[in-house]
Amino acid sequence: MFRQRTTLLLCAAALLCHVKVAQGANHAAGHGQKTPGQSKAAAAGCSSEAVLPKGASRIFIALRNGNDGSGTSMADARDGSTPARFDSILRCYSEGCTSAARPIAKTENLLVCLGPGVFRTKGSYDFLIGVPHKTQEGFTLGKGWKVHGQGEDKTTLQLSAYLRMTDPNDQRNYPLDTGMNTVFSTNSDDASGIEISDLTVDANFPELKSIARQNGVKALNLEAIHLRSNYGGNWIHNVKVIHAAGEVGSINVKYETFPVWIYSVRQGVPPSDNAGNIIENVTMTDFSGGLGTAIAVANAVGEVRNNMVDGYQIGYGGWSMGPVWFHDNTAVNTEYGFNIDSLANNGVRIERTQVIHPRKYGFVIGGGGTYSNFSLAGNTVQIDKAGVTGLILQGNVTAATMVENKIIAENAAAARSTAIRISPAGRITGGLNRNNIFQANQISQGLQLQLGPAALNCFFGNRDESSKPRKDMPDNHSGPCVTAAETN
């Protein structure tokens, strides 16, 4: 269960794709409301009549069967009807193409408006931040880019290839004869303020796995959105992700996948340097197996809200987090609904999250590292089978507040599961979990409890589904551990 991420930190800060952090600007309340069709932000930005902000530019791309237009409107869009055409357009804006038939300077603050249909792409392919290209394939995102589709039911970006690992000296350090790719990735550690919305990202595992088998490639990691930068202000919204995969993680856990990820490799800075990130209204389904956390935040601050993850190994998580606010999210049929198990984390809030039918764990917090001042409030774990743990504190969890959560046994089989486990200190889990508050939680009577030394934590007002006190979780405080005002 405990999955320390020290391997990710081995990647050099100026190089690899798999490491961590991001920062930025606040987004107004009400952005990203999920409604049929195109969101307001995308519709406004991609209107031909819209006045662009100072310093911004715009390109329209559509499926035009080789008829390449000026790109100044959807009626005269650039042609993105093949992977080579689509990728070369965006690669020129990201990196500059001064010698091309249409010279384009490296461009920041670019608004990319995509038409309807399925755009095939090689994604980021062999790109590594700070490393010269071996080939001119795929594309990456520049600072301040905004990529909008016509709606997640109308516009799809689909991976057409994976990068095969054949060089034992490749800096990605992946096992030989495995493959990897990501649809959206940044072009530098300064590429902050990125927005992606109103489209489906198809990592295309079924097709690419068939090709891999034919070519002796034993496992694939296929991901959707990696926004790596030193600063934040990133906004991912109204997006659907399908057919991601984390097969390489099944070979070795250090290759676990993060299909939607905001992170940085910047060393020695607090997460507060990386603020203003939002991930909302993202739906993630059809995970093709292996190890991975669907939505992850690392060394950053932001808000993760109104998302739905179905069938992944882990729904939500991260590490090296400041006060990231996860709320109103859903995880269905995951092994773990939520997992934070490494490095230093302080002030994380997890509220009104539903974990429905987890296969192993609802919420996993703690282990090697530090986990201070967490808040879990108003969450629900619905257990429908034996052998599940609703909430586990693995060690080094201090000053956490767990208030008004529900851990529900849906049937007789679930009664052989554990609602809460507070692990003792140990070689793997680290120090004791202490000074934590468990108050006004509802825990189904049949579920077991493993609470450790009661004096280390505060228990008050915890009840079963009939509002009767849990005799195995008695109050150990003369009054509430925390007042209502303190929980707001």
Side-chain angles (χ1 to χ4, degrees):
M1 173 198 337
F2 174 73
R3 294 166 48 186
Q4 181 69 282
R5 290 181 169 83
T6 53
T7 53
L8 295 172
L9 293 174
L10 297 178
C11 298
L15 303 178
L16 303 190
C17 51
H18 283 318
V19 211
K20 347 196 176 255
V21 171
Q23 171 209 0
N26 293 321
H27 299 288
H31 278 190
Q33 296 297 317
K34 200 161 195 176
T35 57
Q38 198 175 35
S39 69
K40 292 181 180 179
C46 289
S47 167
S48 297
E49 294 76 35
V51 177
L52 296 176
K54 184 178 180 180
S57 56
R58 180 170 53 200
I59 182 72
F60 291 86
I61 305 175
L63 300 174
R64 305 191 69 199
N65 298 316
N67 181 20
D68 194 23
S70 66
T72 56
S73 69
M74 195 58 74
D76 192 32
R78 296 294 307 271
D79 176 40
S81 58
T82 68
R85 288 176 177 146
F86 180 84
D87 292 347
S88 65
I89 294 167
L90 294 182
R91 187 170 64 252
C92 280
Y93 281 97
S94 177
E95 302 174 25
C97 289
T98 56
S99 61
R102 296 192 188 197
I104 297 172
K106 183 177 179 179
T107 304
E108 297 181 351
N109 302 313
L110 176 68
L111 178 58
V112 180
C113 299
L114 302 176
V118 178
F119 294 85
R120 303 262 290 174
T121 175
K122 284 192 173 182
S124 58
Y125 199 60
D126 64 345
F127 186 88
L128 284 174
I129 291 176
V131 178
H133 269 294
K134 292 183 178 179
T135 64
Q136 288 295 301
E137 303 280 357
F139 75 96
T140 51
L141 303 169
K143 182 178 181 179
W145 281 31
K146 302 179 187 299
V147 181
H148 299 311
Q150 299 291 306
E152 63 182 51
D153 58 337
K154 293 182 174 64
T155 301
T156 297
L157 264 67
Q158 182 184 70
L159 276 181
S160 65
Y162 57 83
L163 178 67
R164 182 171 183 169
M165 298 293 108
T166 59
D167 180 1
N169 297 314
D170 188 283
Q171 295 182 66
R172 295 169 186 81
N173 194 32
Y174 259 57
L176 295 180
D177 292 321
T178 64
M180 63 178 295
N181 207 351
T182 303
V183 178
F184 289 107
S185 292
T186 46
N187 68 3
S188 79
D189 285 317
D190 293 323
S192 58
I194 289 172
E195 181 181 353
I196 299 172
S197 81
D198 298 274
L199 47 80
T200 289
V201 182
D202 182 0
N204 201 21
F205 177 84
E207 177 186 338
L208 298 182
K209 183 62 176 179
S210 177
I211 296 171
R213 288 193 188 100
Q214 296 171 27
N215 290 280
V217 175
K218 56 193 175 185
L220 296 177
N221 271 7
L222 302 174
E223 299 166 295
I225 301 171
H226 282 186
L227 302 187
R228 164 183 155 174
S229 75
N230 292 334
Y231 307 99
N234 299 299
W235 187 18
I236 303 169
H237 65 98
N238 296 77
V239 169
K240 184 175 183 179
V241 175
I242 58 176
H243 301 142
E247 289 188 317
V248 187
S250 297
I251 297 173
N252 188 317
V253 67
K254 72 180 182 179
Y255 303 111
E256 66 182 311
T257 190
F258 305 98
V260 174
W261 192 14
I262 293 178
Y263 68 112
S264 166
V265 299
R266 194 179 184 196
Q267 302 294 306
V269 298
S272 58
D273 271 18
N274 192 320
N277 300 294
I278 296 179
I279 303 173
E280 63 179 339
N281 298 324
V282 174
T283 301
M284 303 184 66
T285 64
D286 302 286
F287 184 57
S288 298
L291 302 187
T293 301
I295 296 177
V297 177
N299 198 15
V301 176
E303 194 170 351
V304 181
R305 63 194 184 197
N306 302 315
N307 304 293
M308 195 283 289
V309 174
D310 186 357
Y312 274 71
Q313 189 220 3
I314 300 173
Y316 307 87
W319 58 94
S320 296
M321 285 187 284
V324 180
W325 185 19
F326 295 86
H327 66 94
D328 298 289
N329 299 297
T330 302
V332 183
N333 298 318
T334 54
E335 286 190 17
Y336 302 52
F338 212 103
N339 184 56
I340 303 176
D341 68 0
S342 48
L343 304 178
N345 305 271
N346 186 23
V348 176
R349 296 164 58 192
I350 308 170
E351 299 174 357
R352 300 185 301 278
T353 290
Q354 294 187 73
V355 180
I356 301 171
H357 303 159
R359 302 196 296 274
K360 292 183 179 179
Y361 305 97
F363 295 89
V364 177
I365 299 171
T370 57
Y371 312 84
S372 306
N373 304 302
F374 275 50
S375 173
L376 277 73
N379 304 293
T380 300
V381 181
Q382 296 173 218
I383 299 174
D384 67 341
K385 58 179 64 67
V388 173
T389 300
L391 167 64
I392 180 169
L393 304 186
Q394 292 193 120
N396 294 315
V397 181
T398 59
T401 302
M402 282 143 284
V403 176
E404 296 183 354
N405 302 289
K406 295 181 180 180
I407 305 179
I408 300 168
E410 292 191 341
N411 51 35
R416 297 193 298 275
S417 286
T418 299
I420 299 173
R421 179 185 176 193
I422 304 176
S423 298
R427 181 178 61 84
I428 295 177
T429 60
L432 290 167
N433 305 288
R434 59 172 69 243
N435 302 321
N436 302 301
I437 292 169
F438 296 83
Q439 180 172 304
N441 299 292
Q442 177 186 315
I443 302 166
S444 292
Q445 184 56 47
L447 294 170
Q448 303 171 35
L449 293 168
Q450 300 175 30
L451 302 180
L456 292 178
N457 300 292
C458 184
F459 301 93
F460 186 84
N462 299 290
R463 301 290 189 263
D464 67 14
E465 64 271 36
S466 301
S467 298
K468 296 178 181 178
R470 289 281 309 224
K471 294 181 180 179
D472 50 357
M473 197 177 189
D475 296 350
N476 66 354
H477 199 262
S478 59
C481 305
V482 61
T483 66
E486 290 171 313
T487 63
N488 294 328

